[in-house]
């Protein structure tokens, strides 16, 4: 079957701006996107890349990410976007597990690839060499390969709930189903424009924001790195019809000194996802006449549920109901359906759901029950069928849209000789939804322990995984079963954060 939909889009569309890059001052039509992808497909073929091989890209938001996706779809090659925010050792594990054959990169982030074999680091996407190779003026036509719907199309890595990087598999069918579901749900069309500020290595930024608009024939404005002030300027210049952002990004726009609600005059809807809603941000937008709508998904099931604008006014914390062609269940510990109002683990089923984890058959088997994917999120359903996330079953912390496993942070903290015992929990943050905190029992007194541990952690982990708050204790509090009382620790952390006023409240 032919999944080369960018070629079809280019055949049917008028010549118009498909992708605009304000930073580079470039603009590409749908015809340009198809030609760039054909040029890149020829280049990959010349380098010996063949069907089924994995090719990666390590870059901020850039048209090159689309170049590679569309080139791989033409070839039957596997597309791998890599999170450039990760530390070198984390990236090495992904490269090793995926068996990637070639990595395109942005020069700014090449230092993070220092532990990767040099022969895999292929080309700087910001270089003149890359620009010349893909430029439409140098067109080399390419014959699209036929692929099967269940062939592997993409890998996206997530830490999930085990602490080890896991490659989430997307077949052509699951990948395209998600894009179509999203476009239908949000009623995206060719007259619309949006700005992509969330990272395109995430499903929220790529599968749920970028691709539905491109498939629908709209115009995408690239925001290379999120910055609230810059996004406000882009809003003023490009008048987007909708935004899909992480809650903390809406916060960043609001607190920037150039925020102007008049820049939202063409906005039809505002979606937030990737982490828990920020009530103060929701109330602020509501007071200005705009409702933030909660969407729900995860790497394994990019868009599963979404609220509506009308319902969000009444139920601002609800994630709504399943989108088209997605089913859901709430299950107890024995995988029986719970009753309305009772809490159960959220499980989802649909063509857009991953078929499993790369090279991890046991993890895949453990993640499905009767064809439903177990999300690890605890939720409840009200009488009207609306879903509310209650808690995370596996204690995963989501800070600013990034997943952090407490055990990973605890393991690194415990490596330092100053730390005798530590428990990592999330605490409420008006900016990030949740932030990372660590309760520590020290092996010896040291007045500078916070700065010492902070330096240690920043050497070992990505910045978003480093604790923003430390609490020194003589003993870790225990619950009635003699286990660390994490609920009590969270209360203590929230109290300390409020006392220290670490983060600005929205006014």
């Amino acid at each position: 079957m032919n999944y080369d939909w960018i070629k079809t889009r280019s055949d049917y569309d008028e010549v118009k701006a498909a992708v605009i890059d304000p930073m580079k001052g470039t603009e590409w039509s749908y015809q340009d996107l198809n030609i760039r992808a054909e040029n890149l497909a020829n280049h990959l073929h010349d380098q010996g890349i063949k069907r089924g091989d994995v090719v990666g890209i390590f870059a901020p938001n850039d048209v090159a990410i689309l170049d590679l996706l569309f080139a791989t779809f033409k070839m039957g090659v596997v597309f791998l976007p890599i999170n450039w925010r990760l530390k070198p050792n984390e990236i090495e594990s992904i490269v090793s597990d995926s068996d990637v054959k070639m990595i395109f990169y942005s020069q700014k982030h090449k230092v993070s690839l220092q532990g990767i074999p040099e022969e895999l680091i292929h080309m700087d996407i910001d270089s003149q060499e890359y620009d010349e190779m893909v430029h439409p003026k140098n067109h080399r036509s390419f014959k699209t390969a036929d692929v099967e719907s269940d062939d592997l199309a993409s890998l996206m890595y997530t830490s999930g709930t085990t602490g080890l990087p896991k490659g989430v598999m997307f077949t052509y069918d699951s990948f395209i189903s998600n894009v179509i579901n999203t476009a239908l749900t949000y009623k995206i069309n060719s007259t619309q424009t949006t700005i992509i500020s969330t990272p395109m290595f995430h499903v929220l930024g790529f599968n749920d924001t970028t691709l539905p608009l491109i498939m629908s024939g709209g115009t995408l404005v690239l925001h290379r790195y999120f910055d609230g002030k810059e996004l406000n300027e882009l809003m003023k210049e490009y008048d987007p019809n909708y935004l899909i952002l992480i809650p903390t990004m809406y916060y960043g726009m609001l607190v920037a000194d150039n925020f102007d609600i008049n820049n939202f005059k063409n906005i039809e809807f505002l979606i937030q996802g990737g982490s828990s809603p920020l009530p103060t941000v929701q109330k602020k937008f509501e007071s200005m006449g705009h409702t933030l709508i909660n969407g729900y998904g995860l790497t394994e099931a990019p868009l599963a549920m979404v609220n509506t604008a009308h319902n969000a006014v009444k139920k601002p914390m609800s994630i709504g109901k399943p989108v088209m062609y997605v089913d859901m269940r709430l299950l107890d510990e024995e995988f029986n359906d719970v009753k309305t109002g009772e809490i159960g683990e959220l499980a989802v089923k649909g063509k857009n759901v991953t078929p499993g984890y790369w090279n991890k058959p046991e993890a895949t088997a453990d993640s499905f029950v009767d064809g439903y994917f177990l999300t690890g999120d605890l939720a409840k359903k009200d009488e009207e069928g609306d879903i509310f996330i209650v808690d995370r079953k596996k204690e995963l912390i989501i800070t600013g849209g990034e997943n952090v496993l407490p055990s990973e942070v605890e393991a690194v903290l415990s490596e330092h000789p100053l730390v005798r015992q530590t428990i990592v929990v999330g605490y409420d943050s008006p900016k990030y939804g949740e932030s990372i905190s660590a309760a520590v029992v020290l092996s010896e007194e040291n007045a500078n322990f916070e700065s010492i541990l902070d330096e240690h952690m920043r050497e070992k982990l990505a910045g978003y995984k480093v604790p923003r708050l430390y609490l020194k204790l003589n003993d870790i509090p225990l619950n009635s079963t003699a286990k660390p009382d994490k609920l009590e620790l969270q209360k203590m952390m929230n109290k300390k954060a409020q006392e220290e006023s670490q983060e600005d409240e929205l006014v």
Side-chain angles (χ1 to χ4, degrees):
M1 185 171 178
N2 185 340
Y3 280 88
D4 187 9
W5 58 266
I6 190 59
K7 181 173 177 56
T8 305
R9 185 83 275 167
S10 71
D11 288 338
Y12 276 85
D13 270 39
E14 62 184 29
V15 178
K16 58 174 282 188
V19 176
I20 299 172
D21 188 337
M23 192 202 78
K24 290 186 175 180
T26 55
E27 182 177 301
W28 307 104
S29 68
Y30 282 94
Q31 293 74 22
D32 292 333
L33 292 181
N34 180 60
I35 294 173
R36 289 171 65 95
E38 289 193 350
N39 289 347
L40 181 53
N42 276 298
H43 174 79
L44 294 174
H45 181 268
D46 293 344
Q47 301 301 310
I49 298 298
K50 59 185 183 300
R51 180 171 172 170
D53 285 344
V54 179
V55 178
I57 186 162
F58 190 77
N61 293 353
D62 193 278
V63 69
I65 299 176
L66 289 169
D67 293 340
L68 185 60
L69 174 78
F70 294 140
T72 57
F73 268 47
K74 290 176 182 293
M75 301 178 68
V77 167
V78 181
F79 171 74
L80 171 66
I82 305 174
N83 183 345
W84 47 263
R85 296 181 65 181
L86 297 176
K87 290 292 185 179
N89 62 310
E90 296 170 307
I91 297 163
E92 287 175 30
S93 67
I94 291 174
V95 170
S96 175
D97 185 69
S98 66
D99 194 26
V100 63
K101 304 300 183 185
M102 178 186 295
I103 300 171
F104 291 84
Y105 64 92
S106 176
Q107 183 62 41
K108 180 176 180 179
H109 299 292
K110 188 179 181 182
V111 64
S112 296
L113 298 173
Q114 58 188 356
I116 306 304
E118 191 65 32
E119 61 269 21
L120 297 182
I121 304 174
H122 185 62
M123 189 182 296
D124 176 9
I125 62 156
D126 299 315
S127 67
Q128 184 176 352
E129 179 186 11
Y130 181 84
D131 288 341
E132 285 294 315
M133 183 261 291
V134 297
H135 201 285
K137 69 181 180 182
N138 300 318
H139 186 202
R140 297 167 61 195
S141 61
F142 186 88
K143 183 179 179 180
T144 301
D146 283 331
V147 296
E148 300 299 324
S149 61
D150 59 354
D151 283 351
L152 184 63
S154 177
L155 287 174
M156 287 189 176
Y157 274 77
T158 176
S159 294
T161 57
T162 67
L164 298 173
K166 292 186 293 188
V168 177
M169 297 189 292
F170 291 94
T171 64
Y172 284 94
D173 199 17
S174 62
F175 198 99
I176 295 302
S177 292
N178 170 243
V179 178
I180 294 173
N181 283 6
T182 304
L184 290 174
T185 299
Y186 295 150
K187 300 179 182 178
I188 297 171
N189 63 69
S190 61
T191 68
Q192 293 176 326
T193 296
T194 194
I195 303 168
I196 175 63
S197 288
T198 51
M200 290 168 67
F201 56 70
H202 272 175
V203 292
L204 180 64
F206 199 56
N207 303 52
D208 291 348
T209 306
T210 299
L211 296 181
L213 182 68
I214 295 296
M215 181 176 277
S216 300
T219 299
L220 183 77
V221 180
L222 296 173
H223 189 193
R224 197 169 182 86
Y225 301 99
F226 172 76
D227 176 90
K229 187 172 184 177
E230 289 180 2
L231 182 50
N232 287 336
E233 290 298 322
L234 293 174
M235 292 285 293
K236 181 178 181 180
E237 182 174 357
Y238 292 101
D239 292 326
N241 301 99
Y242 65 91
L243 289 178
I244 302 177
L245 300 173
I246 297 168
T248 187
M249 291 180 171
Y250 286 113
Y251 177 95
M253 296 176 73
L254 285 171
V255 298
D257 57 18
N258 64 342
F259 177 80
D260 185 351
I261 194 60
N262 292 322
N263 295 337
F264 288 69
K265 60 182 180 295
N266 287 334
I267 288 292
E268 300 169 22
F269 59 88
L270 298 172
I271 303 290
Q272 61 178 356
S275 65
S276 300
L278 302 177
T280 54
V281 173
Q282 288 180 288
K283 291 177 182 178
K284 188 70 173 181
F285 271 102
E286 197 69 43
S287 71
M288 296 182 290
H290 290 275
T291 301
L292 294 184
I293 304 167
N294 299 326
Y296 173 85
L298 54 164
T299 306
E300 293 88 342
L303 180 67
M305 274 163 259
V306 69
N307 208 349
T308 64
H310 173 73
N311 201 47
V313 175
K314 299 184 298 179
K315 304 175 183 180
M317 299 305 289
S318 175
I319 58 172
K321 298 179 175 70
V323 301
M324 293 182 180
Y325 312 116
V326 171
D327 293 328
M328 60 76 58
R329 296 171 65 189
L330 294 177
L331 306 174
D332 62 19
E333 293 294 332
E334 285 74 42
F335 305 121
N336 298 311
D337 294 282
V338 302
K339 297 178 181 179
T340 298
E342 294 182 349
I343 296 174
E345 181 174 3
L346 179 60
V348 295
K349 180 180 182 181
K351 280 190 174 183
N352 63 326
V353 176
T354 179
Y357 298 107
W358 177 250
N359 288 334
K360 289 179 171 57
E362 291 184 4
T364 297
D366 291 342
S367 298
F368 287 87
V369 171
D370 297 331
Y372 284 79
F373 178 78
L374 302 172
T375 68
D377 285 323
L378 298 177
K380 61 182 179 180
K381 180 170 63 174
D382 68 12
E383 294 289 344
E384 297 176 312
D386 291 306
I387 308 299
F388 296 80
I389 298 296
V390 176
D391 205 347
R392 279 178 294 282
K393 187 176 182 180
K394 302 295 186 179
E395 302 176 343
L396 195 69
I397 299 171
I398 303 179
T399 177
E402 297 284 359
N403 293 347
V404 179
L405 192 72
S407 60
E408 180 186 12
V409 183
E410 290 167 357
V412 177
L413 260 176
S414 299
E415 293 174 359
H416 199 282
L418 261 181
V419 177
R420 190 176 79 193
Q421 186 179 3
T422 183
I423 297 294
V424 170
V425 295
Y427 67 93
D428 296 337
S429 163
K431 184 175 182 181
Y432 298 107
E434 288 183 295
S435 286
I436 311 300
S437 67
V440 293
V441 178
L442 300 179
S443 58
E444 62 183 54
E445 288 298 316
N446 190 310
N448 299 317
F449 80 94
E450 290 176 313
S451 58
I452 292 172
L453 293 181
D454 188 73
E455 180 179 358
H456 167 72
M457 298 301 285
R458 291 188 182 281
E459 290 176 353
K460 301 287 187 177
L461 290 175
Y464 62 84
K465 298 181 181 180
V466 175
R468 296 174 61 86
L469 185 67
Y470 289 91
L471 179 63
K472 186 179 71 171
L473 298 173
N474 292 326
D475 296 288
I476 298 294
L478 303 177
N479 61 21
S480 59
T481 59
K483 295 180 181 180
D485 191 340
K486 294 190 175 183
L487 290 178
E488 179 62 26
L489 286 173
Q490 284 182 319
K491 292 178 183 177
M492 297 166 69
M493 292 300 183
N494 282 321
K495 181 180 179 181
K496 182 175 182 180
Q498 291 172 0
E499 290 173 350
E500 295 185 359
S501 299
Q502 281 197 335
E503 295 161 327
D504 296 331
E505 292 286 349
L506 196 62
V507 296

